[in-house]
Amino acid sequence: MHWTNQSPIRTVGQMATATAPRVKAPMLRTTVGLKVFMAVTGILLVLFLIAHMLGNLKIFVGPTAFNHYAHWLRAIGTPLLPNTWYLWIQRTVLTVAVIGHIWSAAVLARRARAARPVRYAHRQPVQGSYAGRTMRWGGVIILLFVIYHILDLTTGNLNPVGDKQHPYANVVADFAPHRWYVTIWYVLAILAIGFHLRHGIFSALRTLGQQSQQWQRRSRAFALGFAIVLCAGYLSVPFAVLTGLVR
Amino acid sequence: MNLTLRIWRQRSPQDKGRMVTYQVSDVSPDMSFLEMLDVLNERLILEGEEPVAFDHDCREGICGMCSMVINGRPHGPQKLTTTCQLHMRHFKDGDTIDIEPWRARAFPVIKDLVVNRSAFDKIIQAGGYISAPTGSAPDAHSTPVPKPDADAAFEAAECIACGACVAACPNGSGMLFTAAKITHLGLLPQGQPERETRVLDMVAAHDDAGFGGCTNIGECTASCPKGIPLTTIGRLNGDFIKAARKRS
Ligand code: HEM
Ligand code: FES
């Protein structure tokens, strides 16, 4: 009989299909698993940013339309869902995504730090893009802004008007010329998001398996174009208030 | 040429280590970087000092042994060039050159500029193989491979496992090395049987060794003497996601 037919020993050929992976640790805790998680939560947040930007642009239609849009947000899903339920579901999902995104970023940042215990005496600046180098600190700035932004225009605590029934008035009051520091902070935060996404979207696509040279070029270009359009959309609102286009 | 070298000296893994300054004179621009260090070492030996320990073997850019960070760049300023193939004509008379070992937790310093790179061996042992019977070389056309796949696999197979990617990476990640192997083996028919276990095992071994995660910033590719493309990491990620989904 041929040696491969009856041997109780695993032949090399069988091993090929039979070896179980030695990995027992959960996939999510691997560096690649954490990155996939960061990419998926990041994309979820990007989808929200697109919807939010389109909603903001309603301000150019006029106060009635903008206020009506804000009220409609509370009514999405009715009568299937009670009033504001949809909004709360979305808020819950986004909060979980933000926390998950930051959690994976923090775990990976700590591993990266631990991976180089002795620093170089002579270090050249990283050749990658500015956006790529500032993902972590940029993310922190974005987080601070998101917290401020909720206290300003969602709860109204930090808004000079803070009238939940009339968000249009809140926005106009927010970017009034004498509150220039608010506008500057808003602009810087939006630019931080733009930089974060310029690298983040390319990185997310790569993390999810983008692997050809041609699509690498395209995905870089797409990330840059997307970041620019998003920034322009968000920045148009304070610009319009400052120039009196919206008042 | 006359040069000032500032070299990392470390007697043993336990020693704290420090940068030590040396002057070398009459360096020929035609010398390779390693020959310049040989000249320094010959003098140090004559003076009764301990020569600078550094790794090297082929000195023709194919073995991946030479490993030093020169002025903050792995393998020095010349793109697509190993330290042994770097010539002194890329420096100027009077230059100060800083020379350090690869810096990574997974690559502990053994002595001076020599680091222990067996973490890479562990990654290879975890999955960098195929289980097809070997022996004499098979007929070239017995297993057809599409030309683009063969080219991409060969491009990835050019990796000489020097570790410059790790040394360059701001996250101390070994992902480019791991991805080069995943790409090289995963593109060829002989690599298919273990394709899924390979990626899971190699990533696990990579993480166990204490390398950091990839942020797709591309410093590795920019420093790689063989120009292993960043797209290989996308391939690793794609294989990983497929394999992980099948397993759960
Ligand atoms: C709130 C604090 C935040 C922190 C600390 C943070 C941090 C990070 C870090 C460290 C990365 C990895 C970068 C890399 O791969 O080089 C990343 C990626 C990413 N972030 Fe954020 N981020 C934050 C908020 C956001 C927000 C609000 C969005 C959505 C608009 C977002 C979208 C993304 C995307 C799409 C990626 C790409 C995922 C990937 O790398 O595969 N991030 N973030
Ligand atoms: S000594 Fe072999 S690659 Fe440099």
Side-chain angles (χ1 to χ4, degrees):
Chain A
M1 199 180 270
H2 192 263
W3 63 278
T4 48
N5 290 353
Q6 33 95 278
S7 162
I9 309 165
R10 279 229 213 119
T11 66
V12 178
Q14 281 165 350
M15 191 182 85
T17 44
T19 7
R22 266 155 297 189
V23 208
K24 292 292 173 279
M27 300 293 174
L28 182 60
R29 301 310 302 266
T30 62
T31 49
V32 181
L34 285 162
K35 285 280 300 181
V36 172
F37 189 62
M38 181 151 38
V40 171
T41 51
I43 287 174
L44 218 63
L45 296 171
V46 171
L47 294 181
F48 165 74
L49 285 186
I50 298 171
H52 187 30
M53 181 193 78
L54 294 177
N56 285 358
L57 294 181
K58 274 241 160 183
I59 203 154
F60 291 103
V61 186
T64 331
F66 190 69
N67 288 344
H68 177 263
Y69 158 73
H71 293 300
W72 168 77
L73 284 179
R74 277 154 191 73
I76 300 177
T78 50
L80 213 61
L81 293 172
N83 214 24
T84 77
W85 269 47
Y86 170 79
L87 201 61
W88 279 106
I89 294 172
Q90 179 177 313
R91 283 171 177 168
T92 311
V93 171
L94 289 177
T95 308
V96 170
V98 167
I99 293 173
H101 190 78
I102 297 173
W103 168 75
S104 45
V107 173
L108 285 171
R110 276 182 42 205
R111 283 195 201 170
R113 191 149 305 209
R116 178 157 300 133
V118 182
R119 323 252 119 209
Y120 287 107
H122 185 148
R123 188 79 176 108
Q124 299 265 355
V126 172
Q127 297 167 73
S129 65
Y130 177 79
R133 273 181 279 144
T134 50
M135 290 305 277
R136 290 177 186 140
W137 283 110
V140 171
I141 293 175
I142 296 170
L143 176 65
L144 293 177
F145 173 75
V146 169
I147 294 170
Y148 164 78
H149 191 61
I150 290 171
L151 292 174
D152 175 14
L153 286 169
T154 307
T155 66
N157 297 28
L158 295 177
N159 190 277
V161 175
D163 176 358
K164 283 197 189 178
Q165 294 311 312
H166 300 97
Y168 186 92
N170 296 345
V171 172
V172 173
D174 229 0
F175 298 122
H178 71 277
R179 278 166 51 89
W180 51 272
Y181 47 90
V182 170
T183 310
I184 290 184
W185 165 224
Y186 184 90
V187 171
L188 288 179
I190 294 297
L191 291 179
I193 292 175
F195 276 108
H196 197 80
L197 295 187
R198 192 219 148 161
H199 178 73
I201 288 176
F202 161 72
S203 181
L205 295 173
R206 173 54 45 84
T207 299
L208 296 176
Q210 183 281 312
Q211 54 187 253
S212 75
Q213 289 288 355
Q214 191 185 22
W215 282 97
Q216 169 171 287
R217 264 192 308 280
R218 289 182 190 164
S219 93
R220 279 222 164 90
F222 172 75
L224 178 61
F226 181 88
I228 291 173
V229 170
L230 201 81
C231 282
Y234 277 107
L235 292 180
S236 66
V237 176
F239 179 78
V241 175
L242 270 183
T243 54
L245 219 64
V246 161
R247 59 194 139 149
Chain B
M1 299 165 82
N2 295 318
L3 299 168
T4 306
L5 306 179
R6 296 196 303 166
I7 304 179
W8 182 258
R9 300 303 309 262
Q10 182 173 342
R11 278 184 205 97
S12 66
Q14 288 73 38
D15 184 18
K16 250 184 66 103
R18 69 221 66 85
M19 297 295 275
V20 178
T21 306
Y22 299 94
Q23 307 290 338
V24 277
S25 38
D26 295 330
V27 173
S28 151
D30 294 333
M31 281 179 183
S32 77
F33 201 83
L34 297 187
E35 283 165 341
M36 185 273 296
L37 288 179
D38 291 338
V39 168
L40 169 69
N41 275 347
E42 277 166 15
R43 197 191 78 207
L44 291 180
I45 291 168
L46 284 180
E47 289 169 356
E49 277 190 61
E50 188 74 11
V52 179
F54 60 88
D55 259 334
H56 63 106
D57 188 14
C58 69
R59 297 205 178 195
E60 55 185 15
I62 54 170
C63 75
M65 279 307 277
C66 55
S67 50
M68 47 191 88
V69 172
I70 301 165
N71 283 341
R73 295 242 185 268
H75 293 299
Q78 195 71 2
K79 289 233 177 256
L80 299 174
T81 307
T82 54
T83 301
C84 58
Q85 295 283 292
L86 174 68
H87 286 87
M88 296 314 294
R89 53 179 163 271
H90 299 296
F91 297 89
K92 287 195 307 289
D93 185 39
D95 272 359
T96 299
I97 305 174
D98 290 334
I99 311 172
E100 297 172 76
W102 288 173
R103 291 288 187 207
R105 180 160 69 115
F107 289 164
V109 172
I110 297 170
K111 186 175 178 182
D112 297 340
L113 302 172
V114 178
V115 298
N116 181 346
R117 282 172 283 187
S118 48
F120 271 4
D121 299 338
K122 299 236 173 69
I123 295 177
I124 292 293
Q125 281 158 12
Y129 53 80
I130 59 163
S131 57
T134 51
S136 57
D139 270 347
H141 53 276
S142 60
T143 318
V145 181
K147 173 79 167 124
D149 287 358
D151 287 348
F154 188 80
E155 187 181 37
E158 275 190 66
C159 168
I160 54 176
C162 62
C165 44
V166 176
C169 176
N171 305 301
S173 178
M175 215 44 96
L176 191 69
F177 165 77
T178 312
K181 306 305 163 192
I182 294 284
T183 302
H184 159 202
L185 298 172
L187 274 168
L188 298 174
Q190 295 87 342
Q192 298 313 308
E194 296 95 342
R195 185 151 166 203
E196 279 164 17
T197 53
R198 175 182 305 124
V199 67
L200 299 177
D201 288 339
M202 287 180 89
V203 167
H206 167 278
D207 291 0
D208 280 351
F211 293 109
C214 169
T215 54
N216 300 319
I217 198 160
E219 198 66 5
C220 48
T221 297
S223 306
C224 175
K226 299 296 159 184
I228 303 295
L230 202 59
T231 45
T232 55
I233 293 179
R235 210 178 153 82
L236 177 146
N237 293 332
D239 277 12
F240 183 91
I241 291 171
K242 232 184 261 159
R245 280 178 55 179
K246 256 205 197 152
R247 286 237 297 131
S248 52

